[in-house]
Amino acid sequence: MPNSLTGGQVPPPTLDTVGLVDQSLGNAGTSSSASVLEEGAVDPWALPELKDTGQSWKELSVAGRARRVTIGFLKACGLLGNLYLFICSLDILSSAFQLLGSKVAGDIFKDSVVLSNPVAGLVIGVLVTILVQSSSTSSSIVVSMVASKLLTVRASVPIIMGVNVGTSITSTLVSMAQSGDRDEFRRAFAGSAVHGIFNWLTVLILLPLESAVAPLERLSALTLDVTSLQAGVHAPDILKVLTQPLTHLIVQLDNDVITNSAMGNATNSSLIKRWCGTRGQMTIGNSSDCGMDALGPCPGSNGSATTEQLPCHHLFVGTTLTDLAVGFILLAASLLVLCTCLVLIVKLLNSVLRGRIAQAVRMVINADFPFPFGWLSGYLAILVGAGLTFVLQSSSVFTAAIVPLLGVGVISLERVYPLLLGSNIGTTTTALLAALASPSNMLLSAIQVALIHFFFNLAGILLWYVVPVLRLPIPMAKRFGDLTARYRWVAIAYLLFSFLLLPLAAFGLSLAGDTVLAAVGGPLVALVLLLILVNVLQRHRPAWLPRPLRSWAWLPLWLHSLEPWDHLLSRCCPCRACSTPQATTVKEAHCYENPDILASQQL
């Protein structure tokens, strides 16, 4: 018999009700120190409050003020030191990838028949840039092949697009180091994903357009025709001047080996550099025509000139290990130093950016121009990103440094987006200056390739930034950030799918021929676009859809929810890094404050 309820009592909620509460909390999926919205839900993308829990400056004694100044100075020195080691570890990581995959990267460029396929060229550009971890190295290979007539300018355009896509993997790897905190990981991964999404969306628009009418090739050729360019000097390399004293003590590589491998002049020589210079010596013979006042060798003497090679001075100069073994050693060491420095940088930023300092930094970085010129703030951020990348001479270093700042909540995603777009422009201007320093036989080819790279990124900005409604990478990156905050293995899946599985699948289909690629890839792309359209209409205009398509509930759970996959991976993964974090803070704030729910806890 059902128990009778006394007056005023409320029946305890059933298990279905509790499940619905938990499910709604799971859909929110976030616990953040950010500001709370009017409805009571927490906005995970609002910048967190970094409150200063210490005493104010006026309340401190003389000894306390001196202690605070000393601690602040030590923190600043520690922050700069860790940032320097972080940049050096990125350089060593690039060298490790070059040792592991440089010969493979050079061999990939040999097959000119495969490179004539635009999709294959795009995939090769992505894979080679991932292998060598340097867009400059990949671009230099393309320039050398175009100058040597081994590759046409039209065939080089998809490769340059792939090079631009491959550079975004560095920031994605850096964001993984902040996976310990869910809110920081949400923001950091979204900041790294917005860069890759922008590159992929630009490729999806410009690659078919380039294959049809070749606008980038024609625009770059027209620019060369109307501009009288002359060979100039090398671009300023400020960052390497600071990092080379340390990185050259660890390892030095000969990048000409990669280029020679792509040009068909491959040798079995190691990529590790052994000789770093030459020194000439002149042996002067006897001659009766020379006087005592002669300062140099006599013209008629039987002297001979000898050249002495100067050995390099680094850790692996005389090693008997193979390039593969040295690459694995450097890879493990650089990843260890990179993650350690990144964790220390995040900790120091969290301790330094408190109170008024945090407010001042946010006011400077996230400030907008007064009305009606607020729209100019984003374009100023693009110029700042381009200028900083030009000074640092590395877009990877700039994007890798921006991601931790986004993670700790100093800068918003809406401001990071134009900074990253400016970084893309900055790295192309650096390549353009480097092209001006090329030899005369490679000058025009190098400049045209650099111009293609520049116009590609400029077209991406025109597509995905000028019109605010079309800034699609920002909401898509936020969606990825929410998913990775709840399911951390989504970050690894995105990394593998975007930069490995998808390029390899497209490359395999392109090897089978254009017919197979169109027959298999065309329906798959159409299906993906249809699913995206249906999901957008389900959120905003469900009445426009047929009744069965207004919800995916009729599908099996594993086809429209990540919960079954999360349970499977949680069982397979022994560590807690892959598991879903528990949103206890949200439940205490929204659910456990209800006395009816508290009364039902015995159930």
Tab-separated table of all heavy atoms in Angstrom, residues 190-199 201-202 365-366 377-379 381-383 385-386 398-399 402 406 411-425 457 459-478:
chain	number	residue	atom	x	y	z
A	190	ALA	N	40.078	26.072	-26.058
A	190	ALA	CA	39.292	26.862	-27.015
A	190	ALA	C	40.190	27.855	-27.744
A	190	ALA	O	40.020	28.090	-28.952
A	190	ALA	CB	38.167	27.584	-26.290
A	191	GLY	N	41.155	28.452	-27.036
A	191	GLY	CA	42.071	29.379	-27.687
A	191	GLY	C	42.952	28.719	-28.722
A	191	GLY	O	43.263	29.318	-29.768
A	192	SER	N	43.370	27.487	-28.461
A	192	SER	CA	44.167	26.765	-29.454
A	192	SER	C	43.302	26.240	-30.593
A	192	SER	O	43.736	26.205	-31.748
A	192	SER	CB	44.908	25.607	-28.785
A	192	SER	OG	43.997	24.656	-28.244
A	193	ALA	N	42.061	25.855	-30.270
A	193	ALA	CA	41.181	25.312	-31.310
A	193	ALA	C	40.698	26.396	-32.264
A	193	ALA	O	40.472	26.117	-33.450
A	193	ALA	CB	39.977	24.612	-30.673
A	194	VAL	N	40.557	27.643	-31.793
A	194	VAL	CA	40.052	28.698	-32.675
A	194	VAL	C	41.041	28.970	-33.802
A	194	VAL	O	40.652	29.325	-34.917
A	194	VAL	CB	39.765	29.981	-31.851
A	194	VAL	CG1	41.049	30.678	-31.437
A	194	VAL	CG2	38.877	30.933	-32.632
A	195	HIS	N	42.324	28.761	-33.537
A	195	HIS	CA	43.343	28.939	-34.572
A	195	HIS	C	43.211	27.861	-35.648
A	195	HIS	O	43.204	28.149	-36.848
A	195	HIS	CB	44.726	28.898	-33.931
A	195	HIS	CG	45.817	29.401	-34.824
A	195	HIS	ND1	47.152	29.145	-34.597
A	195	HIS	CD2	45.780	30.125	-35.965
A	195	HIS	CE1	47.864	29.712	-35.558
A	195	HIS	NE2	47.068	30.302	-36.392
A	196	GLY	N	43.100	26.604	-35.211
A	196	GLY	CA	42.959	25.518	-36.175
A	196	GLY	C	41.656	25.571	-36.941
A	196	GLY	O	41.614	25.283	-38.144
A	197	ILE	N	40.560	25.946	-36.259
A	197	ILE	CA	39.265	26.033	-36.944
A	197	ILE	C	39.306	27.113	-38.016
A	197	ILE	O	38.775	26.935	-39.121
A	197	ILE	CB	38.152	26.299	-35.917
A	197	ILE	CG1	37.967	25.079	-35.008
A	197	ILE	CG2	36.841	26.637	-36.602
A	197	ILE	CD1	37.046	25.321	-33.832
A	198	PHE	N	39.922	28.245	-37.697
A	198	PHE	CA	40.045	29.315	-38.696
A	198	PHE	C	40.812	28.829	-39.925
A	198	PHE	O	40.401	29.077	-41.071
A	198	PHE	CB	40.755	30.515	-38.060
A	198	PHE	CG	41.226	31.536	-39.055
A	198	PHE	CD1	40.345	32.463	-39.585
A	198	PHE	CD2	42.550	31.567	-39.469
A	198	PHE	CE1	40.770	33.399	-40.503
A	198	PHE	CE2	42.988	32.503	-40.388
A	198	PHE	CZ	42.100	33.425	-40.914
A	199	ASN	N	41.919	28.129	-39.705
A	199	ASN	CA	42.715	27.642	-40.835
A	199	ASN	C	41.942	26.626	-41.669
A	199	ASN	O	41.970	26.671	-42.914
A	199	ASN	CB	44.024	27.035	-40.327
A	199	ASN	CG	44.974	28.080	-39.776
A	199	ASN	OD1	44.996	29.212	-40.237
A	199	ASN	ND2	45.756	27.702	-38.773
A	201	LEU	N	38.621	26.229	-41.921
A	201	LEU	CA	37.505	26.858	-42.633
A	201	LEU	C	37.994	27.647	-43.846
A	201	LEU	O	37.365	27.627	-44.906
A	201	LEU	CB	36.744	27.790	-41.686
A	201	LEU	CG	35.899	27.133	-40.598
A	201	LEU	CD1	35.243	28.183	-39.723
A	201	LEU	CD2	34.839	26.213	-41.194
A	202	THR	N	39.141	28.315	-43.685
A	202	THR	CA	39.696	29.052	-44.821
A	202	THR	C	40.112	28.105	-45.937
A	202	THR	O	39.911	28.391	-47.130
A	202	THR	CB	40.895	29.894	-44.365
A	202	THR	OG1	40.513	30.695	-43.233
A	202	THR	CG2	41.381	30.805	-45.468
A	365	ILE	N	44.522	44.921	-22.103
A	365	ILE	CA	44.433	43.924	-23.166
A	365	ILE	C	43.038	43.867	-23.768
A	365	ILE	O	42.872	43.808	-24.988
A	365	ILE	CB	44.855	42.539	-22.623
A	365	ILE	CG1	46.328	42.563	-22.197
A	365	ILE	CG2	44.650	41.471	-23.689
A	365	ILE	CD1	46.812	41.258	-21.627
A	366	ASN	N	42.014	43.887	-22.907
A	366	ASN	CA	40.640	43.703	-23.379
A	366	ASN	C	39.898	45.007	-23.607
A	366	ASN	O	38.681	44.994	-23.806
A	366	ASN	CB	39.861	42.854	-22.368
A	366	ASN	CG	40.470	41.482	-22.179
A	366	ASN	OD1	40.719	40.771	-23.142
A	366	ASN	ND2	40.732	41.112	-20.931
A	377	SER	N	38.913	48.085	-32.344
A	377	SER	CA	39.755	47.426	-31.348
A	377	SER	C	40.287	46.093	-31.858
A	377	SER	O	41.451	45.746	-31.634
A	377	SER	CB	38.957	47.216	-30.059
A	377	SER	OG	38.455	48.443	-29.573
A	378	GLY	N	39.442	45.343	-32.536
A	378	GLY	CA	39.886	44.056	-33.067
A	378	GLY	C	40.962	44.210	-34.127
A	378	GLY	O	41.920	43.424	-34.175
A	379	TYR	N	40.825	45.212	-34.962
A	379	TYR	CA	41.834	45.422	-36.006
A	379	TYR	C	43.153	45.902	-35.409
A	379	TYR	O	44.236	45.572	-35.917
A	379	TYR	CB	41.308	46.419	-37.034
A	379	TYR	CG	40.113	45.904	-37.785
A	379	TYR	CD1	38.824	46.253	-37.409
A	379	TYR	CD2	40.265	45.033	-38.857
A	379	TYR	CE1	37.720	45.769	-38.087
A	379	TYR	CE2	39.170	44.552	-39.548
A	379	TYR	CZ	37.898	44.919	-39.158
A	379	TYR	OH	36.805	44.426	-39.828
A	381	ALA	N	44.153	44.843	-32.513
A	381	ALA	CA	44.708	43.589	-31.995
A	381	ALA	C	45.373	42.783	-33.105
A	381	ALA	O	46.400	42.116	-32.877
A	381	ALA	CB	43.604	42.763	-31.328
A	382	ILE	N	44.814	42.826	-34.311
A	382	ILE	CA	45.453	42.141	-35.445
A	382	ILE	C	46.829	42.742	-35.713
A	382	ILE	O	47.820	42.016	-35.923
A	382	ILE	CB	44.555	42.228	-36.688
A	382	ILE	CG1	43.280	41.405	-36.479
A	382	ILE	CG2	45.294	41.734	-37.931
A	382	ILE	CD1	42.297	41.498	-37.635
A	383	LEU	N	46.928	44.061	-35.679
A	383	LEU	CA	48.219	44.713	-35.901
A	383	LEU	C	49.203	44.386	-34.782
A	383	LEU	O	50.396	44.176	-35.029
A	383	LEU	CB	48.018	46.227	-36.013
A	383	LEU	CG	47.207	46.719	-37.210
A	383	LEU	CD1	47.053	48.241	-37.154
A	383	LEU	CD2	47.869	46.304	-38.519
A	385	GLY	N	49.215	41.627	-32.914
A	385	GLY	CA	49.655	40.243	-33.109
A	385	GLY	C	50.663	40.105	-34.231
A	385	GLY	O	51.643	39.375	-34.125
A	386	ALA	N	50.441	40.848	-35.337
A	386	ALA	CA	51.397	40.805	-36.446
A	386	ALA	C	52.741	41.397	-36.038
A	386	ALA	O	53.804	40.850	-36.365
A	386	ALA	CB	50.830	41.558	-37.650
A	398	PHE	N	54.569	32.741	-30.304
A	398	PHE	CA	53.552	33.727	-29.924
A	398	PHE	C	52.247	33.041	-29.515
A	398	PHE	O	51.673	33.357	-28.468
A	398	PHE	CB	53.312	34.691	-31.082
A	398	PHE	CG	52.244	35.704	-30.809
A	398	PHE	CD1	52.494	36.789	-29.999
A	398	PHE	CD2	50.974	35.569	-31.371
A	398	PHE	CE1	51.500	37.731	-29.740
A	398	PHE	CE2	49.988	36.499	-31.119
A	398	PHE	CZ	50.253	37.581	-30.302
A	399	THR	N	51.764	32.098	-30.322
A	399	THR	CA	50.510	31.412	-29.987
A	399	THR	C	50.658	30.557	-28.740
A	399	THR	O	49.723	30.460	-27.933
A	399	THR	CB	50.045	30.547	-31.163
A	399	THR	OG1	51.101	29.630	-31.526
A	399	THR	CG2	49.718	31.405	-32.372
A	402	ILE	N	50.329	32.866	-25.781
A	402	ILE	CA	48.996	33.430	-25.586
A	402	ILE	C	48.080	32.436	-24.875
A	402	ILE	O	47.237	32.818	-24.048
A	402	ILE	CB	48.398	33.843	-26.947
A	402	ILE	CG1	49.057	35.121	-27.445
A	402	ILE	CG2	46.889	34.048	-26.857
A	402	ILE	CD1	48.735	36.349	-26.634
A	406	LEU	N	45.280	32.997	-21.758
A	406	LEU	CA	43.851	32.755	-21.919
A	406	LEU	C	43.351	31.764	-20.881
A	406	LEU	O	42.245	31.893	-20.354
A	406	LEU	CB	43.569	32.243	-23.335
A	406	LEU	CG	42.124	31.879	-23.670
A	406	LEU	CD1	41.215	33.084	-23.535
A	406	LEU	CD2	42.028	31.306	-25.068
A	411	ILE	N	42.960	37.170	-20.505
A	411	ILE	CA	42.514	37.677	-21.789
A	411	ILE	C	41.324	36.842	-22.258
A	411	ILE	O	41.238	35.642	-21.960
A	411	ILE	CB	43.676	37.635	-22.819
A	411	ILE	CG1	43.269	38.266	-24.143
A	411	ILE	CG2	44.187	36.229	-23.010
A	411	ILE	CD1	44.431	38.424	-25.095
A	412	SER	N	40.406	37.466	-22.937
A	412	SER	CA	39.195	36.779	-23.386
A	412	SER	C	39.420	36.131	-24.747
A	412	SER	O	40.333	36.506	-25.495
A	412	SER	CB	38.028	37.762	-23.474
A	412	SER	OG	38.284	38.754	-24.454
A	413	LEU	N	38.571	35.161	-25.061
A	413	LEU	CA	38.673	34.466	-26.333
A	413	LEU	C	38.376	35.410	-27.491
A	413	LEU	O	38.983	35.291	-28.567
A	413	LEU	CB	37.706	33.277	-26.353
A	413	LEU	CG	37.689	32.421	-27.620
A	413	LEU	CD1	39.045	31.760	-27.838
A	413	LEU	CD2	36.604	31.354	-27.543
A	414	GLU	N	37.458	36.354	-27.282
A	414	GLU	CA	37.132	37.302	-28.345
A	414	GLU	C	38.311	38.205	-28.691
A	414	GLU	O	38.402	38.708	-29.813
A	414	GLU	CB	35.932	38.161	-27.929
A	414	GLU	CG	34.601	37.422	-27.952
A	414	GLU	CD	34.424	36.468	-26.787
A	414	GLU	OE1	35.248	36.537	-25.839
A	414	GLU	OE2	33.478	35.660	-26.799
A	415	ARG	N	39.230	38.433	-27.747
A	415	ARG	CA	40.403	39.234	-28.036
A	415	ARG	C	41.566	38.361	-28.530
A	415	ARG	O	42.423	38.836	-29.286
A	415	ARG	CB	40.817	40.024	-26.784
A	415	ARG	CG	41.946	41.032	-26.980
A	415	ARG	CD	41.752	41.926	-28.182
A	415	ARG	NE	40.455	42.553	-28.255
A	415	ARG	CZ	40.146	43.706	-27.681
A	415	ARG	NH1	41.041	44.364	-26.996
A	415	ARG	NH2	38.928	44.208	-27.824
A	416	VAL	N	41.593	37.109	-28.118
A	416	VAL	CA	42.637	36.202	-28.600
A	416	VAL	C	42.487	35.940	-30.091
A	416	VAL	O	43.491	35.834	-30.822
A	416	VAL	CB	42.595	34.873	-27.803
A	416	VAL	CG1	43.383	33.777	-28.499
A	416	VAL	CG2	43.148	35.085	-26.410
A	417	TYR	N	41.254	35.865	-30.554
A	417	TYR	CA	41.006	35.550	-31.963
A	417	TYR	C	41.678	36.538	-32.916
A	417	TYR	O	42.429	36.109	-33.807
A	417	TYR	CB	39.490	35.502	-32.179
A	417	TYR	CG	39.065	35.141	-33.581
A	417	TYR	CD1	39.519	33.984	-34.203
A	417	TYR	CD2	38.191	35.962	-34.294
A	417	TYR	CE1	39.121	33.659	-35.484
A	417	TYR	CE2	37.780	35.640	-35.569
A	417	TYR	CZ	38.251	34.484	-36.168
A	417	TYR	OH	37.871	34.167	-37.442
A	418	PRO	N	41.498	37.863	-32.783
A	418	PRO	CA	42.225	38.762	-33.696
A	418	PRO	C	43.732	38.748	-33.483
A	418	PRO	O	44.494	38.972	-34.434
A	418	PRO	CB	41.627	40.139	-33.399
A	418	PRO	CG	41.029	40.022	-32.057
A	418	PRO	CD	40.570	38.615	-31.932
A	419	LEU	N	44.195	38.484	-32.267
A	419	LEU	CA	45.640	38.386	-32.049
A	419	LEU	C	46.233	37.222	-32.836
A	419	LEU	O	47.323	37.339	-33.421
A	419	LEU	CB	45.930	38.219	-30.557
A	419	LEU	CG	45.766	39.462	-29.677
A	419	LEU	CD1	45.930	39.097	-28.210
A	419	LEU	CD2	46.768	40.533	-30.065
A	420	LEU	N	45.536	36.095	-32.855
A	420	LEU	CA	46.026	34.939	-33.616
A	420	LEU	C	45.971	35.195	-35.115
A	420	LEU	O	46.858	34.750	-35.859
A	420	LEU	CB	45.205	33.700	-33.253
A	420	LEU	CG	45.343	33.209	-31.809
A	420	LEU	CD1	44.451	31.995	-31.579
A	420	LEU	CD2	46.783	32.869	-31.478
A	421	LEU	N	44.938	35.903	-35.560
A	421	LEU	CA	44.883	36.253	-36.982
A	421	LEU	C	46.038	37.179	-37.353
A	421	LEU	O	46.638	37.047	-38.433
A	421	LEU	CB	43.546	36.926	-37.305
A	421	LEU	CG	42.272	36.118	-37.019
A	421	LEU	CD1	41.061	36.847	-37.577
A	421	LEU	CD2	42.367	34.721	-37.601
A	422	GLY	N	46.367	38.106	-36.470
A	422	GLY	CA	47.523	38.953	-36.711
A	422	GLY	C	48.829	38.180	-36.696
A	422	GLY	O	49.763	38.507	-37.437
A	423	SER	N	48.882	37.137	-35.881
A	423	SER	CA	50.077	36.292	-35.876
A	423	SER	C	50.267	35.594	-37.210
A	423	SER	O	51.402	35.437	-37.686
A	423	SER	CB	49.966	35.260	-34.745
A	423	SER	OG	51.061	34.374	-34.749
A	424	ASN	N	49.164	35.171	-37.836
A	424	ASN	CA	49.269	34.580	-39.171
A	424	ASN	C	49.827	35.577	-40.186
A	424	ASN	O	50.653	35.224	-41.037
A	424	ASN	CB	47.890	34.097	-39.634
A	424	ASN	CG	47.470	32.816	-38.953
A	424	ASN	OD1	48.260	32.173	-38.281
A	424	ASN	ND2	46.224	32.439	-39.119
A	425	ILE	N	49.402	36.839	-40.080
A	425	ILE	CA	49.921	37.866	-40.978
A	425	ILE	C	51.396	38.148	-40.676
A	425	ILE	O	52.219	38.338	-41.583
A	425	ILE	CB	49.085	39.148	-40.876
A	425	ILE	CG1	47.641	38.873	-41.312
A	425	ILE	CG2	49.686	40.263	-41.719
A	425	ILE	CD1	47.484	38.497	-42.757
A	457	ASN	N	46.173	34.134	-45.824
A	457	ASN	CA	45.754	34.574	-44.492
A	457	ASN	C	44.922	35.849	-44.561
A	457	ASN	O	43.987	36.026	-43.769
A	457	ASN	CB	46.984	34.795	-43.617
A	457	ASN	CG	47.640	33.496	-43.190
A	457	ASN	OD1	47.100	32.743	-42.388
A	457	ASN	ND2	48.802	33.221	-43.727
A	459	ALA	N	42.894	36.636	-47.024
A	459	ALA	CA	41.563	36.203	-47.459
A	459	ALA	C	40.793	35.561	-46.310
A	459	ALA	O	39.569	35.739	-46.197
A	459	ALA	CB	41.692	35.220	-48.631
A	460	GLY	N	41.489	34.824	-45.436
A	460	GLY	CA	40.825	34.242	-44.270
A	460	GLY	C	40.271	35.307	-43.334
A	460	GLY	O	39.164	35.165	-42.789
A	461	ILE	N	41.027	36.390	-43.144
A	461	ILE	CA	40.533	37.482	-42.299
A	461	ILE	C	39.312	38.135	-42.938
A	461	ILE	O	38.320	38.456	-42.253
A	461	ILE	CB	41.656	38.505	-42.070
A	461	ILE	CG1	42.763	37.882	-41.225
A	461	ILE	CG2	41.119	39.758	-41.378
A	461	ILE	CD1	43.955	38.783	-41.020
A	462	LEU	N	39.337	38.340	-44.245
A	462	LEU	CA	38.182	38.918	-44.932
A	462	LEU	C	36.958	38.014	-44.837
A	462	LEU	O	35.822	38.495	-44.772
A	462	LEU	CB	38.530	39.188	-46.397
A	462	LEU	CG	39.615	40.235	-46.658
A	462	LEU	CD1	39.901	40.339	-48.150
A	462	LEU	CD2	39.207	41.587	-46.098
A	463	LEU	N	37.189	36.714	-44.812
A	463	LEU	CA	36.062	35.781	-44.757
A	463	LEU	C	35.482	35.651	-43.362
A	463	LEU	O	34.261	35.679	-43.172
A	463	LEU	CB	36.508	34.404	-45.262
A	463	LEU	CG	36.686	34.216	-46.766
A	463	LEU	CD1	37.319	32.863	-47.050
A	463	LEU	CD2	35.343	34.326	-47.476
A	464	TRP	N	36.321	35.497	-42.359
A	464	TRP	CA	35.885	35.067	-41.038
A	464	TRP	C	36.084	36.105	-39.937
A	464	TRP	O	35.984	35.754	-38.766
A	464	TRP	CB	36.584	33.771	-40.643
A	464	TRP	CG	36.522	32.714	-41.680
A	464	TRP	CD1	37.549	32.169	-42.367
A	464	TRP	CD2	35.347	32.050	-42.163
A	464	TRP	NE1	37.115	31.220	-43.255
A	464	TRP	CE2	35.759	31.124	-43.150
A	464	TRP	CE3	33.997	32.148	-41.858
A	464	TRP	CZ2	34.855	30.309	-43.832
A	464	TRP	CZ3	33.099	31.337	-42.543
A	464	TRP	CH2	33.542	30.427	-43.511
A	465	TYR	N	36.365	37.368	-40.307
A	465	TYR	CA	36.479	38.369	-39.250
A	465	TYR	C	35.803	39.696	-39.591
A	465	TYR	O	35.222	40.323	-38.704
A	465	TYR	CB	37.952	38.649	-38.918
A	465	TYR	CG	38.097	39.527	-37.692
A	465	TYR	CD1	37.953	38.985	-36.426
A	465	TYR	CD2	38.332	40.887	-37.801
A	465	TYR	CE1	38.037	39.783	-35.298
A	465	TYR	CE2	38.431	41.693	-36.682
A	465	TYR	CZ	38.282	41.134	-35.434
A	465	TYR	OH	38.367	41.928	-34.315
A	466	VAL	N	35.892	40.134	-40.825
A	466	VAL	CA	35.389	41.463	-41.178
A	466	VAL	C	33.907	41.581	-40.847
A	466	VAL	O	33.464	42.575	-40.248
A	466	VAL	CB	35.671	41.755	-42.662
A	466	VAL	CG1	34.999	43.053	-43.086
A	466	VAL	CG2	37.174	41.835	-42.914
A	467	VAL	N	33.123	40.592	-41.210
A	467	VAL	CA	31.690	40.582	-40.896
A	467	VAL	C	31.498	39.877	-39.553
A	467	VAL	O	31.831	38.692	-39.418
A	467	VAL	CB	30.887	39.861	-41.998
A	467	VAL	CG1	29.402	39.883	-41.667
A	467	VAL	CG2	31.153	40.507	-43.354
A	468	PRO	N	31.007	40.571	-38.516
A	468	PRO	CA	30.903	39.940	-37.182
A	468	PRO	C	30.062	38.668	-37.160
A	468	PRO	O	30.337	37.752	-36.385
A	468	PRO	CB	30.273	41.049	-36.320
A	468	PRO	CG	30.642	42.320	-37.010
A	468	PRO	CD	30.624	42.002	-38.482
A	469	VAL	N	29.027	38.599	-38.013
A	469	VAL	CA	28.176	37.403	-38.009
A	469	VAL	C	28.945	36.181	-38.486
A	469	VAL	O	28.648	35.046	-38.082
A	469	VAL	CB	26.938	37.660	-38.888
A	469	VAL	CG1	26.020	36.451	-38.912
A	469	VAL	CG2	26.181	38.880	-38.389
A	470	LEU	N	29.961	36.367	-39.327
A	470	LEU	CA	30.705	35.257	-39.893
A	470	LEU	C	31.917	34.866	-39.059
A	470	LEU	O	32.747	34.086	-39.532
A	470	LEU	CB	31.168	35.627	-41.309
A	470	LEU	CG	30.054	35.821	-42.333
A	470	LEU	CD1	30.640	36.188	-43.686
A	470	LEU	CD2	29.199	34.566	-42.447
A	471	ARG	N	32.025	35.357	-37.855
A	471	ARG	CA	33.133	34.944	-36.982
A	471	ARG	C	32.803	33.590	-36.348
A	471	ARG	O	32.748	33.425	-35.122
A	471	ARG	CB	33.404	36.010	-35.918
A	471	ARG	CG	33.894	37.336	-36.521
A	471	ARG	CD	34.009	38.435	-35.485
A	471	ARG	NE	34.339	39.712	-36.125
A	471	ARG	CZ	34.420	40.881	-35.494
A	471	ARG	NH1	34.181	40.932	-34.186
A	471	ARG	NH2	34.721	41.973	-36.153
A	472	LEU	N	32.616	32.618	-37.209
A	472	LEU	CA	32.199	31.283	-36.772
A	472	LEU	C	33.236	30.548	-35.939
A	472	LEU	O	32.864	29.721	-35.101
A	472	LEU	CB	31.845	30.437	-38.012
A	472	LEU	CG	30.720	30.974	-38.903
A	472	LEU	CD1	30.485	30.035	-40.076
A	472	LEU	CD2	29.444	31.164	-38.116
A	473	PRO	N	34.543	30.766	-36.127
A	473	PRO	CA	35.497	30.031	-35.285
A	473	PRO	C	35.324	30.270	-33.789
A	473	PRO	O	35.638	29.374	-32.994
A	473	PRO	CB	36.862	30.549	-35.777
A	473	PRO	CG	36.644	30.935	-37.186
A	473	PRO	CD	35.243	31.481	-37.221
A	474	ILE	N	34.807	31.420	-33.372
A	474	ILE	CA	34.664	31.685	-31.935
A	474	ILE	C	33.598	30.789	-31.303
A	474	ILE	O	33.892	30.096	-30.309
A	474	ILE	CB	34.370	33.178	-31.698
A	474	ILE	CG1	35.565	34.029	-32.126
A	474	ILE	CG2	34.039	33.435	-30.236
A	474	ILE	CD1	35.337	35.523	-31.963
A	475	PRO	N	32.339	30.731	-31.795
A	475	PRO	CA	31.374	29.809	-31.170
A	475	PRO	C	31.752	28.346	-31.337
A	475	PRO	O	31.487	27.534	-30.449
A	475	PRO	CB	30.056	30.137	-31.881
A	475	PRO	CG	30.437	30.817	-33.146
A	475	PRO	CD	31.696	31.554	-32.842
A	476	MET	N	32.385	27.990	-32.461
A	476	MET	CA	32.807	26.607	-32.627
A	476	MET	C	33.904	26.251	-31.631
A	476	MET	O	33.909	25.145	-31.064
A	476	MET	CB	33.294	26.387	-34.062
A	476	MET	CG	32.203	26.526	-35.115
A	476	MET	SD	32.816	26.361	-36.799
A	476	MET	CE	33.260	24.632	-36.817
A	477	ALA	N	34.823	27.179	-31.384
A	477	ALA	CA	35.877	26.912	-30.393
A	477	ALA	C	35.296	26.821	-28.985
A	477	ALA	O	35.748	26.009	-28.168
A	477	ALA	CB	36.934	28.009	-30.468
A	478	LYS	N	34.292	27.640	-28.690
A	478	LYS	CA	33.654	27.539	-27.376
A	478	LYS	C	32.957	26.198	-27.205
A	478	LYS	O	32.970	25.617	-26.105
A	478	LYS	CB	32.647	28.681	-27.204
A	478	LYS	CG	33.303	30.032	-26.966
A	478	LYS	CD	32.253	31.100	-26.690
A	478	LYS	CE	32.903	32.443	-26.357
A	478	LYS	NZ	31.902	33.491	-26.038
